Amino acid sequence: MNETESDDSCRESFNFTNSLGIKKQKFEQDGLMIKNEGKLSIFQKICFAVGGLPYQMCGNALGLFISPFLLEVSQIRPKQVSVILFSGRGWDAVTDPLIGFFVNRTNTRFGKLRPWILFPVPFAIFCYIMIWYVPDISRSSKTIWYLVFYCFFQTFLSCLHVPYTSLTMYLTPDQAERDSATGYRMVFEVLGVLLAAVIQGIMISIYGSTVNCDVTTLNLKSTTPFPYNDSSLISNNLNDDSDTNKLSEGYLISASIMSLIYLICCLTTFFGTKEMKDVITDHNKEFFKSFKSVFSHKSYITLLLAFLFNSLAVQLVQSNLALFCKYTVDAGDQYQYLIIVLLVSSILSLPLWQYLMIKLGKKTTYAVGLILLIPNLFVLLYIENTSNFKN
């Protein structure tokens, strides 16, 4: 970075600090902060925090259950399932910066960010329900169906998540209060993941989990779990259509319940929060100039790459965990309970990580978390196959 760019960054930082001070006085006058304390009320923090629940709830429901749903209920080939999931993730990587660009240029009487949290909700709900619907069409047409709705849902989910994560900076100029609001958000995000596992798990238990990949047709001499090029071992060995239809109905009901929660949370965040206006100004009016400006910061690139590979590892494990439990360790009927135990453990550990973040700093705490995660992922490689194959 040259001297001119450094001076510009210093001026922008100085202007940003002054802007926060002015907005703090305005918030105090409007009653959004307690006078002379600069604190947000608990009610406002909760209203903000519930906005993080839909992203985690729907995202983790897809991550944990979409693979077995597509394979066992929709009867799509494994290769096509991979195309759907990875194309959706790739599309999500494209839409995030585009949504951020448009959000940054939005100015309404409701604010810059809050309208984006509310207006995509009907479209997101529709696409989410369609993902869990099994159309009566050919297998190749189903692939297109799920790919289109999965990508559209990722787009509308970005319309929620990108402005919502930015909203933290627009709530208050007080750094301690922003950290506190983030703590509330983390609790509700973990609650969202827990709801995804509980709601889906209950529906699968009620409507039956009898739909199965018949492992008796596997080639026992093959070292691969699916020795054929298509999903014949899946589609030709389902118990019967009534089992499939029953389980499909359970998935649709759980999707409807989560869609209602999605709507309530977005409405709560929209009407229960206020945002400071014009806190951060981007002078680059063109998308590619803004894009270049963001990716010119070395620290941001380093953090982005770390987050990218961390997320990719977690998503790979998450998307295959249900199949791993069911067909490798023969514990498919215990899957939802395993997820609940994992999530409850995460909730109980939050105070510890919050304490470490305060004592060690965010960067060190993040590094410690990654170091502890790696050996846990390696453990999965050494769990023996306990499934009993019978001829």
Side-chain angles (χ1 to χ4, degrees):
M1 183 179 293
N2 58 39
E3 185 175 351
T4 302
E5 291 176 337
S6 179
D7 292 340
D8 290 340
S9 299
C10 291
R11 282 195 295 271
E12 289 181 2
S13 178
F14 178 75
N15 293 334
F16 174 68
T17 304
N18 285 344
S19 177
L20 287 180
I22 295 172
K23 296 303 175 184
K24 179 179 179 181
Q25 296 177 358
K26 182 68 169 61
F27 267 43
E28 289 175 348
Q29 294 172 1
D30 293 343
L32 299 176
M33 289 185 182
I34 301 174
K35 185 71 173 178
N36 298 325
E37 292 185 14
K39 293 184 178 180
L40 295 171
S41 67
I42 294 177
F43 174 77
Q44 290 168 329
K45 292 177 183 178
I46 292 176
C47 288
F48 163 73
V50 298
L53 192 149
Y55 180 83
Q56 296 296 333
M57 179 182 64
C58 295
N60 282 278
L62 288 170
L64 294 170
F65 294 97
I66 192 64
S67 290
F69 170 79
L70 293 177
L71 288 168
E72 298 179 342
V73 181
S74 296
Q75 304 176 29
I76 294 180
R77 293 183 176 92
K79 286 184 178 180
Q80 294 171 334
V81 172
S82 299
V83 170
I84 292 171
L85 298 183
F86 281 96
S87 296
R89 291 299 180 182
W91 179 251
D92 183 44
V94 173
T95 56
D96 276 1
L98 286 173
I99 297 299
F101 177 80
F102 291 119
V103 167
N104 197 43
R105 278 145 186 78
T106 301
N107 287 290
T108 70
R109 65 188 184 94
F110 299 107
K112 179 189 291 288
L113 307 173
R114 287 163 59 241
W116 285 86
I117 294 175
L118 186 61
F119 93 83
V121 171
F123 307 103
I125 288 175
F126 174 75
C127 291
Y128 185 72
I129 292 176
M130 289 299 100
I131 289 175
W132 300 103
Y133 174 72
V134 182
D136 187 15
I137 53 180
S138 66
R139 185 180 296 170
S140 58
S141 299
K142 284 182 182 179
T143 302
I144 298 174
W145 171 283
Y146 290 115
L147 178 61
V148 169
F149 281 111
Y150 190 77
C151 289
F152 270 114
F153 177 71
Q154 292 294 341
T155 301
F156 295 125
L157 198 61
S158 294
C159 290
L160 163 67
H161 189 60
V162 171
Y164 174 75
T165 52
S166 302
L167 185 59
T168 307
M169 294 299 298
Y170 287 75
L171 289 175
T172 169
D174 192 322
Q175 179 63 46
E177 286 302 294
R178 290 200 295 269
D179 290 340
S180 177
T182 301
Y184 277 76
R185 189 193 78 188
M186 290 172 62
V187 172
F188 276 89
E189 286 180 342
V190 174
L191 178 61
V193 182
L194 184 61
L195 282 175
V198 170
I199 294 173
Q200 292 277 63
I202 290 176
M203 289 299 106
I204 292 174
S205 298
I206 292 175
Y207 287 85
S209 56
T210 56
V211 178
N212 200 1
C213 296
D214 190 349
V215 295
T216 63
T217 61
L218 287 173
N219 181 0
L220 298 181
K221 296 181 180 180
S222 174
T223 58
T224 60
F226 295 103
Y228 307 109
N229 292 329
D230 58 23
S231 61
S232 58
L233 66 91
I234 296 173
S235 60
N236 294 334
N237 296 285
L238 294 172
N239 294 332
D240 53 51
D241 290 338
S242 62
D243 288 335
T244 304
N245 294 335
K246 189 177 179 181
L247 191 55
S248 175
E249 183 180 352
Y251 277 112
L252 269 180
I253 292 175
S254 63
S256 300
I257 294 173
M258 285 189 277
S259 295
L260 179 61
I261 296 174
Y262 191 116
L263 174 62
I264 293 173
C265 290
C266 290
L267 288 173
T268 301
T269 300
F270 180 82
F271 290 105
T273 59
K274 300 289 183 180
E275 64 176 271
M276 299 181 292
K277 295 182 179 180
D278 302 324
V279 174
I280 304 173
T281 302
D282 184 4
H283 299 290
N284 294 321
K285 300 301 181 181
E286 297 181 8
F287 172 76
F288 290 105
K289 288 185 178 180
S290 299
F291 192 81
K292 181 180 179 181
S293 176
V294 170
F295 282 90
S296 63
H297 295 277
K298 183 178 179 180
S299 298
Y300 174 78
I301 296 298
T302 303
L303 181 61
L304 179 65
L305 291 175
F307 180 77
L308 172 65
F309 289 110
N310 172 37
S311 300
L312 181 60
V314 172
Q315 288 168 7
L316 285 173
V317 173
Q318 186 184 57
S319 61
N320 291 285
L321 187 59
L323 299 174
F324 175 80
C325 289
K326 190 170 185 178
Y327 299 110
T328 300
V329 297
D330 196 22
D333 56 340
Q334 303 296 320
Y335 174 65
Q336 57 265 33
Y337 304 113
L338 171 63
I339 296 299
I340 292 173
V341 169
L342 291 174
L343 295 177
V344 170
S345 301
S346 299
I347 293 174
L348 294 178
S349 69
L350 280 177
L352 172 62
W353 291 108
Q354 188 74 12
Y355 173 80
L356 291 176
M357 186 175 67
I358 295 173
K359 291 296 182 180
L360 304 178
K362 298 177 181 178
K363 182 173 70 174
T364 303
T365 303
Y366 181 63
V368 170
L370 289 180
I371 292 172
L372 294 177
L373 175 64
I374 293 173
N376 286 278
L377 295 178
F378 271 106
V379 168
L380 297 176
L381 299 175
Y382 297 97
I383 298 179
E384 294 183 359
N385 189 326
T386 59
S387 298
N388 294 320
F389 296 125
K390 298 179 180 180
N391 292 324

